[in-house]
Amino acid sequence: MLLTIASFIVTIGIIVTIHEFGHFLAARLMGMRVKRFSIGFPPKMFSKKIGDTEFAISWIPLGGYVQIAGMVDESMDDEGITGAPDEFMSKPPLARIFVLSAGVLMNYITAFLMIAALTLAIGVGHVVDTTIGEVLPDMPAATAGIQAGDHITAVNGVATPTWEKVVENVSAAGDSIALTVHRETGEDLTLLVPTKKMSEGGVDRRVIGIAPKVETRPAGLGDAVGRGWTFCAGTTRAIGQFIAGLATGESSVSQLSGPLGVAKLSGESAREGSGAFLFFIAYVSVSIAFLNILPFPALDGGHIMYVIIEAITRRPIPTRVKLWIQQVGMALLLLLVLFVSYHDIVRMIAD
């Protein structure tokens, strides 16, 4: 329990701090005055003022915010816009959009660097052939007598020269498959293995619970850059497909993880080792970044929509309207957090 709590605090602390630091740094580069840099939402736990900025740690650990002079944000500060040159609304639209998107950009950069560093430290794994490296417990392959080290030569009598071919044939199989293997003892065996149906992204496929034997080679800079880019792009695509699935009914909001779910997963990844934990932080960093850029009130994407609308209409949206939208958005986000937290609890009880 202590490890789970500690790993959750570290995960959220890193992601939120980096995200808000992106906003802070961009605001200062654009000549904007930052009134408050807060990790967490009010009420404040403690704070310290440095220059024009109050740095605070607040009690509600659902994110954080950078309060920029002349901007209606998560702080719900309605002090108004004075027209001072260092205020948010005094800057050109592109400068405001840059500041609003800087947190998301910083999260992506962090995830990219984490994956690149892990690649350089661990190396690049590659599948050599169709040799089984691991048989997952309590899965069909284990109960059928398949062993780690078995070399798969055919699935249902069809030759499988590559692991990709093994996966393709197993995925498209029926309730069972005939798996032909060459065992390390020199035996050639054909075993009947039941399959288990899995659903991923709305697509059903069959699995038996095996993983390939993977060999590792040292990674170069090109490998690190490639893996970092592929991870960020692939994770973004997967989250985008999930959100699109919400509209078509292929995905469900109940599949989302709230703070409790993230805490549980952070603890599990921490127990697996530092590499798995850093990978998990990188995944959450991309997830938070992607969700933040959506055009929803109280999120960065919602603020960007304000700027775009104001640029098109050439007039500012009234402050009272922004405040009302922010309040509604925050209320809806809180309801969503409560909803997904309920499902987190249900899943924990079921486990």
Side-chain angles (χ1 to χ4, degrees), residues 54-78:
E54 177 189 21
F55 293 86
I57 303 293
S58 300
W59 283 106
I60 303 178
L62 298 179
Y65 66 94
V66 168
Q67 184 184 1
I68 302 171
M71 176 181 173
V72 178
D73 57 14
E74 294 84 345
S75 65
M76 303 299 177
D77 189 346
D78 62 350

Side-chain angles (χ1 to χ4, degrees), residues 71-255:
M71 176 181 173
V72 178
D73 57 14
E74 294 84 345
S75 65
M76 303 299 177
D77 189 346
D78 62 350
E79 68 173 15
I81 301 167
T82 67
D86 59 359
E87 288 185 348
F88 180 79
M89 292 299 293
S90 298
K91 303 300 178 180
L94 286 180
R96 284 180 273 159
I97 290 175
F98 169 63
V99 171
L100 292 169
S101 60
V104 168
L105 180 61
M106 189 66 80
N107 279 132
Y108 269 101
I109 291 173
T110 299
F112 174 87
L113 292 176
M114 280 186 170
I115 298 301
L118 282 172
T119 301
L120 290 173
I122 299 173
V124 177
H126 63 286
V127 177
V128 179
D129 51 26
T130 58
T131 300
I132 297 173
E134 181 183 10
V135 179
L136 304 181
D138 302 322
M139 290 291 283
T143 58
I146 301 297
Q147 299 176 8
D150 286 349
H151 182 83
I152 301 172
T153 56
V155 175
N156 286 336
V158 179
T160 52
T162 65
W163 189 265
E164 288 77 11
K165 194 65 178 177
V166 172
V167 173
E168 178 185 329
N169 289 359
V170 171
S171 297
D175 293 334
S176 63
I177 58 169
L179 201 66
T180 303
V181 301
H182 179 77
R183 190 147 287 175
E184 291 176 307
T185 58
E187 301 175 90
D188 288 305
L189 305 171
T190 298
L191 302 172
L192 187 65
V193 184
T195 62
K196 182 177 180 178
K197 183 185 288 186
M198 301 285 287
S199 181
E200 185 175 342
V203 178
D204 292 335
R205 63 188 183 90
R206 298 280 177 165
V207 299
I208 59 175
I210 58 174
K213 182 179 179 180
V214 177
E215 293 184 356
T216 303
R217 63 171 175 80
L221 184 60
D223 295 315
V225 171
R227 289 298 176 94
W229 171 261
T230 301
F231 172 83
C232 291
T235 303
T236 299
R237 183 169 56 252
I239 298 171
Q241 290 172 345
F242 174 82
I243 293 176
L246 292 175
T248 61
E250 295 179 356
S251 306
S252 170
V253 178
S254 63
Q255 295 174 270

Side-chain angles (χ1 to χ4, degrees), residues 38-50:
S38 177
I39 303 303
F41 293 129
K44 287 185 291 186
M45 187 186 309
F46 60 85
S47 65
K48 180 178 179 59
K49 190 165 186 178
I50 302 176

